[in-house]
PDB file of all heavy atoms in Angstrom:
ATOM      1  N   VAL T   6       8.471  -7.469  13.019  1.00  0.00           N
ATOM      2  CA  VAL T   6       7.577  -7.274  11.877  1.00  0.00           C
ATOM      3  C   VAL T   6       6.292  -6.644  12.386  1.00  0.00           C
ATOM      4  O   VAL T   6       5.734  -7.088  13.399  1.00  0.00           O
ATOM      5  CB  VAL T   6       7.268  -8.608  11.163  1.00  0.00           C
ATOM      6  CG1 VAL T   6       6.282  -8.386  10.011  1.00  0.00           C
ATOM      7  CG2 VAL T   6       8.549  -9.242  10.637  1.00  0.00           C
ATOM      8  N   SER T  29      15.558  -5.242 -13.220  1.00  0.00           N
ATOM      9  CA  SER T  29      15.751  -4.794 -14.594  1.00  0.00           C
ATOM     10  C   SER T  29      17.106  -5.246 -15.136  1.00  0.00           C
ATOM     11  O   SER T  29      17.230  -5.580 -16.324  1.00  0.00           O
ATOM     12  CB  SER T  29      15.624  -3.270 -14.666  1.00  0.00           C
ATOM     13  OG  SER T  29      15.681  -2.815 -15.995  1.00  0.00           O
ATOM     14  N   SER T  92      19.357  -5.030   2.061  1.00  0.00           N
ATOM     15  CA  SER T  92      20.594  -5.600   1.527  1.00  0.00           C
ATOM     16  C   SER T  92      20.440  -7.104   1.444  1.00  0.00           C
ATOM     17  O   SER T  92      19.562  -7.695   2.088  1.00  0.00           O
ATOM     18  CB  SER T  92      21.789  -5.240   2.429  1.00  0.00           C
ATOM     19  OG  SER T  92      21.709  -5.941   3.654  1.00  0.00           O
ATOM     20  N   ALA T 101      13.057 -13.470   5.861  1.00  0.00           N
ATOM     21  CA  ALA T 101      12.384 -14.681   6.325  1.00  0.00           C
ATOM     22  C   ALA T 101      11.290 -14.347   7.330  1.00  0.00           C
ATOM     23  O   ALA T 101      10.201 -14.944   7.312  1.00  0.00           O
ATOM     24  CB  ALA T 101      13.397 -15.643   6.937  1.00  0.00           C
ATOM     25  N   ARG T 110      -4.130 -16.503   3.201  1.00  0.00           N
ATOM     26  CA  ARG T 110      -4.064 -17.821   2.567  1.00  0.00           C
ATOM     27  C   ARG T 110      -5.221 -17.997   1.596  1.00  0.00           C
ATOM     28  O   ARG T 110      -6.309 -17.479   1.868  1.00  0.00           O
ATOM     29  CB  ARG T 110      -4.147 -18.931   3.630  1.00  0.00           C
ATOM     30  CG  ARG T 110      -2.964 -18.989   4.587  1.00  0.00           C
ATOM     31  CD  ARG T 110      -1.681 -19.437   3.884  1.00  0.00           C
ATOM     32  NE  ARG T 110      -0.600 -19.639   4.840  1.00  0.00           N
ATOM     33  CZ  ARG T 110       0.205 -18.674   5.301  1.00  0.00           C
ATOM     34  NH1 ARG T 110       0.032 -17.428   4.893  1.00  0.00           N
ATOM     35  NH2 ARG T 110       1.173 -18.956   6.153  1.00  0.00           N
ATOM     36  N   ARG T 149       7.600 -17.876 -37.971  1.00  0.00           N
ATOM     37  CA  ARG T 149       7.600 -19.288 -37.604  1.00  0.00           C
ATOM     38  C   ARG T 149       6.464 -19.974 -38.353  1.00  0.00           C
ATOM     39  O   ARG T 149       5.489 -19.326 -38.728  1.00  0.00           O
ATOM     40  CB  ARG T 149       7.354 -19.479 -36.104  1.00  0.00           C
ATOM     41  CG  ARG T 149       8.481 -19.051 -35.196  1.00  0.00           C
ATOM     42  CD  ARG T 149       8.067 -19.319 -33.780  1.00  0.00           C
ATOM     43  NE  ARG T 149       9.092 -18.887 -32.846  1.00  0.00           N
ATOM     44  CZ  ARG T 149       9.570 -19.648 -31.870  1.00  0.00           C
ATOM     45  NH1 ARG T 149       9.123 -20.871 -31.713  1.00  0.00           N
ATOM     46  NH2 ARG T 149      10.481 -19.192 -31.043  1.00  0.00           N
ATOM     47  N   PRO T 175      -6.648 -20.024 -13.515  1.00  0.00           N
ATOM     48  CA  PRO T 175      -6.385 -20.588 -14.835  1.00  0.00           C
ATOM     49  C   PRO T 175      -7.159 -19.869 -15.928  1.00  0.00           C
ATOM     50  O   PRO T 175      -8.242 -19.347 -15.693  1.00  0.00           O
ATOM     51  CB  PRO T 175      -6.834 -22.049 -14.708  1.00  0.00           C
ATOM     52  CG  PRO T 175      -7.832 -22.033 -13.595  1.00  0.00           C
ATOM     53  CD  PRO T 175      -7.389 -20.968 -12.647  1.00  0.00           C
ATOM     54  N   LEU T 184      -5.304 -17.508 -25.977  1.00  0.00           N
ATOM     55  CA  LEU T 184      -4.414 -18.342 -26.773  1.00  0.00           C
ATOM     56  C   LEU T 184      -4.875 -19.789 -26.632  1.00  0.00           C
ATOM     57  O   LEU T 184      -4.906 -20.320 -25.521  1.00  0.00           O
ATOM     58  CB  LEU T 184      -2.973 -18.180 -26.300  1.00  0.00           C
ATOM     59  CG  LEU T 184      -1.900 -18.869 -27.145  1.00  0.00           C
ATOM     60  CD1 LEU T 184      -0.574 -18.112 -27.043  1.00  0.00           C
ATOM     61  CD2 LEU T 184      -1.693 -20.325 -26.744  1.00  0.00           C
ATOM     62  N   GLY T 191      -0.194 -31.780 -29.500  1.00  0.00           N
ATOM     63  CA  GLY T 191      -0.792 -31.592 -28.193  1.00  0.00           C
ATOM     64  C   GLY T 191      -1.647 -30.342 -28.161  1.00  0.00           C
ATOM     65  O   GLY T 191      -2.028 -29.807 -29.212  1.00  0.00           O
ATOM     66  N   VAL T 199      -1.416  -9.474 -23.173  1.00  0.00           N
ATOM     67  CA  VAL T 199      -1.724  -8.467 -22.163  1.00  0.00           C
ATOM     68  C   VAL T 199      -0.510  -7.581 -21.922  1.00  0.00           C
ATOM     69  O   VAL T 199       0.644  -7.997 -22.085  1.00  0.00           O
ATOM     70  CB  VAL T 199      -2.170  -9.112 -20.840  1.00  0.00           C
ATOM     71  CG1 VAL T 199      -3.478  -9.865 -21.024  1.00  0.00           C
ATOM     72  CG2 VAL T 199      -1.100 -10.061 -20.304  1.00  0.00           C
ATOM     73  N   VAL T 204       4.802  -0.189 -14.246  1.00  0.00           N
ATOM     74  CA  VAL T 204       6.193   0.092 -13.874  1.00  0.00           C
ATOM     75  C   VAL T 204       7.189  -0.694 -14.727  1.00  0.00           C
ATOM     76  O   VAL T 204       8.398  -0.466 -14.625  1.00  0.00           O
ATOM     77  CB  VAL T 204       6.450  -0.207 -12.384  1.00  0.00           C
ATOM     78  CG1 VAL T 204       5.657   0.750 -11.516  1.00  0.00           C
ATOM     79  CG2 VAL T 204       6.134  -1.653 -12.039  1.00  0.00           C
ATOM     80  N   ALA T 254      12.116 -30.088 -19.634  1.00  0.00           N
ATOM     81  CA  ALA T 254      13.104 -30.494 -20.629  1.00  0.00           C
ATOM     82  C   ALA T 254      12.791 -29.883 -21.989  1.00  0.00           C
ATOM     83  O   ALA T 254      13.698 -29.452 -22.713  1.00  0.00           O
ATOM     84  CB  ALA T 254      13.152 -32.025 -20.719  1.00  0.00           C
ATOM     85  N   ARG T 259      13.979 -25.747 -26.190  1.00  0.00           N
ATOM     86  CA  ARG T 259      13.603 -24.586 -27.002  1.00  0.00           C
ATOM     87  C   ARG T 259      14.178 -23.281 -26.449  1.00  0.00           C
ATOM     88  O   ARG T 259      13.809 -22.206 -26.877  1.00  0.00           O
ATOM     89  CB  ARG T 259      12.078 -24.496 -27.089  1.00  0.00           C
ATOM     90  CG  ARG T 259      11.449 -25.573 -27.994  1.00  0.00           C
ATOM     91  CD  ARG T 259      12.013 -25.465 -29.409  1.00  0.00           C
ATOM     92  NE  ARG T 259      11.322 -26.321 -30.361  1.00  0.00           N
ATOM     93  CZ  ARG T 259      11.800 -27.476 -30.822  1.00  0.00           C
ATOM     94  NH1 ARG T 259      12.975 -27.922 -30.374  1.00  0.00           N
ATOM     95  NH2 ARG T 259      11.116 -28.188 -31.696  1.00  0.00           N
ATOM     96  N   ARG T 262      14.161 -18.983 -21.296  1.00  0.00           N
ATOM     97  CA  ARG T 262      14.879 -18.522 -20.110  1.00  0.00           C
ATOM     98  C   ARG T 262      14.031 -18.792 -18.858  1.00  0.00           C
ATOM     99  O   ARG T 262      12.857 -19.095 -18.952  1.00  0.00           O
ATOM    100  CB  ARG T 262      15.220 -17.028 -20.238  1.00  0.00           C
ATOM    101  CG  ARG T 262      16.078 -16.751 -21.470  1.00  0.00           C
ATOM    102  CD  ARG T 262      16.713 -15.382 -21.444  1.00  0.00           C
ATOM    103  NE  ARG T 262      15.763 -14.291 -21.401  1.00  0.00           N
ATOM    104  CZ  ARG T 262      15.102 -13.825 -22.455  1.00  0.00           C
ATOM    105  NH1 ARG T 262      15.228 -14.418 -23.640  1.00  0.00           N
ATOM    106  NH2 ARG T 262      14.294 -12.795 -22.334  1.00  0.00           N
ATOM    107  N   PRO T 271       2.836 -21.948   3.371  1.00  0.00           N
ATOM    108  CA  PRO T 271       2.324 -23.156   4.021  1.00  0.00           C
ATOM    109  C   PRO T 271       0.859 -22.978   4.411  1.00  0.00           C
ATOM    110  O   PRO T 271       0.417 -21.886   4.754  1.00  0.00           O
ATOM    111  CB  PRO T 271       3.220 -23.294   5.264  1.00  0.00           C
ATOM    112  CG  PRO T 271       3.763 -21.918   5.504  1.00  0.00           C
ATOM    113  CD  PRO T 271       3.885 -21.280   4.162  1.00  0.00           C
TER     114      PRO T 271
END
Side-chain angles (χ1 to χ4, degrees):
V6 177
S29 185
S92 71
R110 294 292 187 275
R149 290 180 182 230
L184 187 151
V199 295
V204 294
R259 287 301 188 257
R262 301 194 299 281

